[in-house]
Amino acid sequence: MLDQTEGYMTADGRKIGGVVMDMRNITLRFGGVEAIKNISFDIREGEIRAIIGPNGAGKSSMLNVISGFYVPQEGEVWFRGSKRPPMKPYQVAQQGIARTFQNIALFEGMSVLDNVMTGRLNNMKTGLLQQALWRGAAEREEVENREICEKVIDFLEIQHIRKTPVARLPYGLKKRVELARALASEPKLLLLDEPMAGMNVEEKEDMSRFILSVNDEFGTTIALIEHDMGVVMDLSDRVVVMDYGKKIGDGTPDEVRNNQDVIDAYLGVSHD
Amino acid sequence: MTQPVNGDSGLRSVPALLRRNAKTMAQAPAYREKEFGIWQTWTWTQACQQAESLALGLIDLGLDTGDFVAIIGRNRPSLYLSMVAVQMAGGVPVPLYQDAVADEMSYVLQHCGARYVIAESQEQVDKVLEVQDQLSELKHMVYLDPRGLRKYDHTHLHSYDAILDAGHAKRDATLPILQQREGKLDYDSTCVMLYTSGTTGKPKGVVLSNRNIIETARASSDFDKLTSGENVLAYLPMAWVGDFIFSIGQAYWTGFCVNCPESQDTMSTDLREIGPSYFFAPPRVFETQLTNVMIRMEDAGKFKKWLFDTFMAHARKVGPAILDGHSVGMMDRLKYALGELCIYGPLKNTLGFTNVRVGYTAGEAIGPEIFDFYRSLGINLKQLYGQTEASVFITQQPDGQVRSDTVGVPSPGVEVRIGDSGEVYYRSPGTFVEYYRNPESTADTKDPEGWVATGDAGFFETDTGHLRIIDRAKDVAKMSDGGMFAPKFVENKLKFYPSILEAVVFGAGRDTCVAFINIDMSAVGNWAERNNIAYSSYQELAGHPRVLEQIRLHVNEVNASVAQDEMLSGCQIHRFLVLHKELDADDGELTRTRKVRRKIIGEKFEDLVNALYDGSASIYTETEVTYEDGRKGKISATLNILDAEVFPRAAQIAAQ
């Protein structure tokens, strides 16, 4: 199923597999505004792929195209070797893609546990009536799914807030709960939209550790958008750089760091 | 469980106790640990099997008789069982403080020449790997939680489960060796080696024998009539002697269940769920809980607050008397019963103390107000006095004779005497064997007749026979005018204010006393919130003029109270400052059990001490701080120095 082109070895000795997601000549327009202009790049199995760029570069739009929320006017999205037709977000989720949001999108009034459980919704098959009676299959299903959620809670070290309503949590923890919800669906591909925005150094370090552990422990492929250059360069295996909807760089952190276009985009060019 | 322990009964070691429990209480719970949101149970049979498999696996890994095995991690059944398994296999378990930084660990691991390390997680494994160059004796490491360790070089690193499986698989071949080694264990073989936290210098390895542990466990279990039905929550560091006595000694002797929290942060939830019947905590835990209750009450509605205040006032009046079984009037009893229904019961439930039959606090003096608060709720909180070298117990308070200012009468089997210098000496079956590789210190501390110097100054009250501890003998000094200087006495008074977390008083050989004060972030932060004081960091809050003013009021009140004491009225605080950083064990300012290292603090902040004495109004200072991961940084601040009101002495000092 996977693209047969060979994978590569990362600097820290992880083996990266074939192409999981292939974006081919994507163009996305909102009316007259071209948010993404003819961009192609791929995401390979098991890698941590970063999308970076200045404000308004089109990064979040790109992530929304990957997650199936936006349908591009031109171009094709290939997932696991086949072209993906326009889909509803829940269908994308069923394919094994999960995401977190830039501005946290949790159910504020619900407990952390309930929020994480919503990540299992696609795996619940019993109907409303069965759920209400909560006998037999419904109960079994709940127990099985709860166990998976509890493992995620343990993994992300949020046991102490299991029963706390999300609205009462500080920002950094909410971000972690969102990651937990995404992980609960046991995704193959995890999309993180600015997982570290607005965090202090300690929270960033924690989050980086969790992202690496997720990748290491479950072999999850991760695509992330991030502003903090230090974090991006440390975490990711390959980086796509966007500016004004165009791709201006693609490669390993070192390659990207030394790319003149990227430097110009970030530092600006003098116009004299 | 009242059969006597002696050489004949066969119960001469902790592994023997485990084997007995596996027989007599096979299906009763030995351990519980909350994992994945559910309390998982180990029966005594399962516990015994796991310990045996681990012991077999360790022998298979090459563990030899007398090898030291360091155990690092938070309280978990598998780690407790590994301490027993190590002893079964003929080794000596050495639990270490899990929050120690790599350098501290390195010292202890080198000192005992640990051959094996059983670590809880990647964090602990990393710390040991960081210093492994210095550890020539180290052969293998075993880890419990595999997360993040998959890619590590596994030539000398093994997962706990793999060792269990190996032990189980090669059972037939290894069992005879295990049986032979286990059979050799007797009353005088080493049960555990615990490192002292080291208030003054490098930690010392205290060797405790099976006799020490089992005799102490027996005597103390009888003292409080502990049964196999007790439940305890194990949350204090495994490297601390108290935890060893409670969670292994007494638990194995009486057969009660030890419950381990899910993580450090879930302590209060787990406490509520378990509802322990026997509880142990240093004063700090009780202080924090009380502070939290008070903060919550400040935010409560008027009616609730009135209800709380009214009934708490009543509880303070009659609660302790009811608890001690003294006669109390009918109306008072009725009102107390009503209070139990409305306030005390629900409050105890929230705190997790509903079922507490016996509670102990030790390690430091507890504030009388805090102590009385818990006792007035009907919680049988008592004090004990002990140290690692005594396998904890030196004195403790019998039911019905509980007071906040004494530490009780000598524990069963313990002899206590006061030396000529006022120092407390004891002799007991729990008295330690020796300091490992340190015969000089052993000889200094323990005389040939077995009397051990505690290093604390104290005296027996003539009418009640209760022991009162004044201070560390070394800390008690003279001021330049000849008056007695007992810093702890003043510091404890200061610390009883919720807003003061820690205080360090200086004054030995000087004419006046001065103090460093650490604010309590949660209490002061809440107060600041209610009073619309904006702040962005600990440092800013600690330096806020209104916070300083509050602290000054507290210091004044303490001075007023110190002035009442004939002997110590010279210890009033003339000038003080509020420190810009919290005193921290990672910076060496506190011990791992959170005791103040006065001398080190005095040297480290010498500039501040000088400023307190030279009359300057403020001082600029730079301090090196160590972060949790061992990195170092610098913080700088300009601290204001405040003058406190000093009260006339109640009486002239006799010592002049």
Side-chain angles (χ1 to χ4, degrees), chain A residues 150 154-155 162 205 216, chain B residues 36 147 150-151 262 631:
Chain A
E150 284 293 343
D154 183 66
F155 187 84
R162 189 186 279 129
E205 281 178 354
D216 179 50
Chain B
F36 305 130
R147 184 200 305 180
R150 217 156 34 84
K151 286 185 297 186
E262 190 168 20
R631 283 180 305 169

Side-chain angles (χ1 to χ4, degrees), chain B residues 377-405:
Chain B
L377 290 178
I379 298 164
N380 186 17
L381 183 63
K382 308 197 282 183
Q383 293 203 78
L384 68 77
Y385 168 64
Q387 57 177 201
T388 311
E389 288 84 344
S391 311
V392 180
F393 295 94
I394 299 175
T395 66
Q396 62 197 121
Q397 295 177 324
D399 287 342
Q401 302 180 30
V402 180
R403 282 163 48 195
S404 61
D405 55 351

Side-chain angles (χ1 to χ4, degrees), chain A residues 46-74:
Chain A
E47 76 179 343
I48 300 180
R49 187 77 148 120
I51 303 172
I52 63 170
N55 283 333
K59 306 181 298 292
S60 287
S61 301
M62 194 73 224
L63 208 68
N64 280 323
V65 170
I66 301 176
S67 72
F69 188 67
Y70 290 156
V71 180
Q73 278 78 8
E74 288 164 37

Side-chain angles (χ1 to χ4, degrees), chain A residues 104 169-177 195 197-199 203 207:
Chain A
I104 300 160
L169 295 178
Y171 180 79
L173 276 177
K174 283 186 185 171
K175 281 269 185 193
R176 216 191 287 178
V177 174
M199 287 190 173
E203 289 169 333
M207 192 51 114

Side-chain angles (χ1 to χ4, degrees), chain B residues 49 52-54 56-57 162-172:
Chain B
Q49 278 165 356
E52 188 186 274
S53 293
L54 185 68
L56 292 169
I163 299 291
L164 283 184
D165 291 344
H168 193 68
K170 295 179 190 162
R171 189 166 196 269
D172 296 339

Side-chain angles (χ1 to χ4, degrees), chain B residues 441-496:
Chain B
S441 283
T442 311
D444 283 350
T445 314
K446 191 165 93 161
D447 72 11
E449 286 170 28
W451 288 98
V452 180
T454 56
D456 289 322
F459 63 94
F460 277 107
E461 280 187 350
T462 39
D463 45 342
T464 59
H466 278 236
L467 181 68
R468 284 179 73 164
I469 298 296
I470 307 171
D471 205 334
R472 294 286 301 167
K474 273 197 210 86
D475 289 341
V476 179
K478 288 260 165 14
M479 303 188 56
S480 60
D481 61 2
M484 185 155 85
F485 171 68
K488 194 108 236 181
F489 176 78
V490 186
E491 285 162 14
N492 281 333
K493 281 186 182 290
L494 282 167
K495 280 161 66 179
F496 298 152

